[in-house]
Amino acid sequence: MATDQEKNKQLLIKLLERPGNGSCVDCGAADPEWASYTLGVFVCQSCSGLHRNISQISKVKSVLLDPWSDAEVEFMATNGNDAAKAKYEQKVPVFYYRPTHRDCQLLREQWIRARYERKEFVCVERQEPYSAGYREGFLWKRGRDNGQFLSRKCILSERDGALKYFNKHDAREPKALMKIHTLNASFQPGKIGQPHGLQVTYLKDNSTRNIFVYHKDGKEMVDWFNAIRAARFHYLQVAFPGAHHADLVPKLTRNYIKEGYMEKTGPKHTEGFKKRWFTMDDRRLMYFKEPLDAYARGEVFIGSKENSYTVLPGLPPSTQGYHWQFGITIVTPDRKFLFTCETEEEQQDWMAAFQGLVNRPMLPQEYAVAAQFKHKP
């Protein structure tokens, strides 16, 4: 005869089959095996660890390994993931970033805290830090030349249409003015070496510029990120009147398709290959001497096959001067670009990323970008 514990485990497994319970309530990862028995939600193992940071609100157990009381199972049965979303996500702004299991820990932890601890999406006034259209504060910014992080005053103003930072706290003129219409922000904790590290990029004279910032307070950093998304959303609403929210939200911020080291040669294909850090930002392939450089050494536009762009494995037979053995040739209407990768796996990953772009038909606005693009050696 089944024990109470065995019976409760089977009941919990049945509850996981209910609509909404089959994926983590916080990040969407499939097949959660943990649960918060005080919130009544099912979560993945990774998010269960983040729930332990708010133990005064959420207490977690393994569905399969821990003992469960009848009352706890009953509480899970009367709640569940869909009920929790209805309760804690009533008023999530359309621009607010909802992280997935692929996102960094900071975004996932602050999403959990925003819902259950701060109840930001029940009380709209608590969204003011990223919804007001204006944000001012100090962030640690990496110096372009010496790599040191120094405190810099930053102002994001929707009215001015820009994010600005100032080298001196009492300076009247900003050191840089980043227009909202070209702004992007992406969390890069590993690359920056800070758990709250954010890479902000913008265009100046159709060339990409990077700044790297962080704040010791995780909430502060995620509020900056969502304030940038809010500013971008309101700009795009004006730029594309009548557009559906679902069409605008993917354009607010974007993660890079791929980053990593490859070797490259110059336009004549006679120079020796040099190791460079490459970033694929949608159809812009940029290369830098080092991952944290402020300026790209060059940028290449990757169009579609309809416009005579192709991706080939390997290098032309006469090619010399390379160290890494796994080559890639990008054929554009103007010239061929030659790259090499250190491993076959890296070559395959880059090939897949390039092929994805080449196979995707170009949008009207991408033709405009291509027209002003200058291929750089």
Side-chain angles (χ1 to χ4, degrees):
M1 189 169 161
T3 64
D4 287 350
Q5 282 307 314
E6 193 58 41
K7 184 184 70 179
N8 283 341
K9 186 195 288 188
Q10 293 307 316
L11 287 170
L12 287 166
I13 290 170
K14 277 282 184 200
L15 290 178
L16 282 168
E17 296 171 6
R18 284 190 185 175
N21 291 347
S23 55
C24 174
V25 72
D26 297 320
C27 74
D31 304 319
E33 293 187 352
W34 290 75
S36 167
Y37 60 91
T38 52
L39 294 172
V41 295
F42 292 96
V43 297
C44 67
Q45 184 173 3
S46 181
C47 288
S48 76
L50 301 177
H51 276 253
R52 289 191 174 93
N53 295 337
I54 53 167
S55 56
Q56 72 281 13
I57 297 165
S58 181
K59 299 194 184 298
V60 292
K61 284 185 180 185
S62 167
V63 169
L64 301 175
L65 303 176
D66 288 324
W68 286 77
S69 71
D70 293 352
E72 288 165 348
V73 173
E74 195 175 323
F75 183 74
M76 295 300 299
T78 55
N79 288 277
N81 290 5
D82 284 352
K85 287 181 180 181
K87 178 179 178 181
Y88 294 106
E89 299 178 22
Q90 294 173 35
K91 298 172 183 175
V92 183
V94 66
F95 59 78
Y96 194 96
Y97 188 76
R98 296 168 178 254
T100 72
H101 61 282
R102 295 185 186 89
D103 284 302
C104 65
Q105 180 174 315
L106 174 66
L107 278 169
R108 290 184 294 114
E109 178 173 2
Q110 289 303 317
W111 170 236
I112 287 168
R113 287 185 181 274
R115 281 142 76 228
Y116 309 126
E117 184 179 53
R118 299 192 292 266
K119 296 189 172 59
E120 285 178 22
F121 312 122
V122 178
C123 307
V124 175
E125 61 272 16
R126 294 179 186 172
Q127 300 172 14
E128 193 270 341
Y130 45 82
S131 296
Y134 181 89
R135 186 173 174 83
E136 183 176 325
F138 292 91
L139 296 173
W140 293 94
K141 179 194 166 288
R142 188 179 189 273
R144 189 179 78 192
D145 300 320
N146 60 14
Q148 285 186 320
F149 281 89
L150 297 170
S151 178
R152 293 289 181 252
K153 180 181 174 182
C154 299
I155 294 176
L156 175 68
S157 169
E158 289 188 19
R159 190 178 65 184
D160 296 342
L163 171 66
K164 298 173 267 192
Y165 81 84
F166 300 79
N167 262 1
K168 294 194 172 126
H169 294 177
D170 56 353
R172 291 191 172 187
E173 293 301 315
K175 175 68 175 172
L177 188 144
M178 299 162 258
K179 290 290 189 182
I180 283 169
H181 73 275
T182 71
L183 205 56
N184 185 43
S186 171
F187 279 101
Q188 298 274 2
K191 186 160 88 172
I192 297 171
Q194 296 287 344
H196 304 162
L198 186 73
Q199 179 173 348
V200 178
T201 63
Y202 62 104
L203 291 182
K204 187 175 180 183
D205 304 325
N206 199 40
S207 290
T208 303
R209 298 289 183 261
N210 296 321
I211 67 166
F212 302 95
V213 294
Y214 78 93
H215 195 285
K216 289 169 183 170
D217 184 322
K219 177 186 183 300
E220 187 81 7
M221 204 65 250
V222 174
D223 283 350
W224 272 104
F225 177 65
N226 280 304
I228 289 170
R229 287 176 61 85
R232 292 265 308 148
F233 179 65
H234 297 140
Y235 159 76
L236 290 169
Q237 279 186 303
V238 174
F240 301 100
H244 294 295
H245 289 176
D247 295 326
L248 298 182
V249 168
K251 296 181 171 71
L252 302 186
T253 53
R254 61 196 180 274
N255 290 325
Y256 302 125
I257 296 173
K258 182 160 174 60
E259 288 194 288
Y261 283 108
M262 291 193 288
E263 291 183 328
K264 66 168 289 295
T265 186
K268 295 178 182 173
H269 301 171
T270 54
E271 307 91 329
F273 279 68
K274 292 179 179 172
K275 181 180 173 183
R276 294 289 181 256
W277 177 264
F278 283 82
T279 296
M280 188 183 285
D281 184 4
D282 202 46
R283 291 195 183 273
R284 284 178 183 267
L285 177 69
M286 300 168 278
Y287 57 89
F288 306 82
K289 193 169 182 186
E290 300 295 341
L292 298 180
D293 284 353
Y295 307 121
R297 293 293 180 98
E299 304 191 25
V300 181
F301 183 84
I302 307 294
S304 66
K305 58 188 176 188
E306 291 84 0
N307 301 93
S308 305
Y309 287 81
T310 51
V311 187
L312 304 170
L315 301 173
S318 59
T319 311
Q320 296 180 338
Y322 56 91
H323 309 96
W324 291 347
Q325 299 304 306
F326 302 95
I328 299 173
T329 300
I330 305 286
V331 182
T332 78
D334 300 331
R335 58 170 273 206
K336 291 179 180 177
F337 291 88
L338 309 184
F339 308 112
T340 60
C341 302
E342 188 172 15
T343 67
E344 187 175 7
E345 183 182 8
E346 273 292 288
Q347 178 201 39
Q348 296 301 319
D349 287 350
W350 277 108
M351 287 279 297
F354 285 129
Q355 201 65 57
L357 288 175
V358 167
N359 289 344
R360 193 179 84 199
M362 279 169 58
L363 300 170
Q365 56 265 39
E366 291 176 329
Y367 280 99
V369 174
Q372 21 166 299
F373 216 92
K374 296 171 184 169
H375 288 314
K376 299 177 185 179

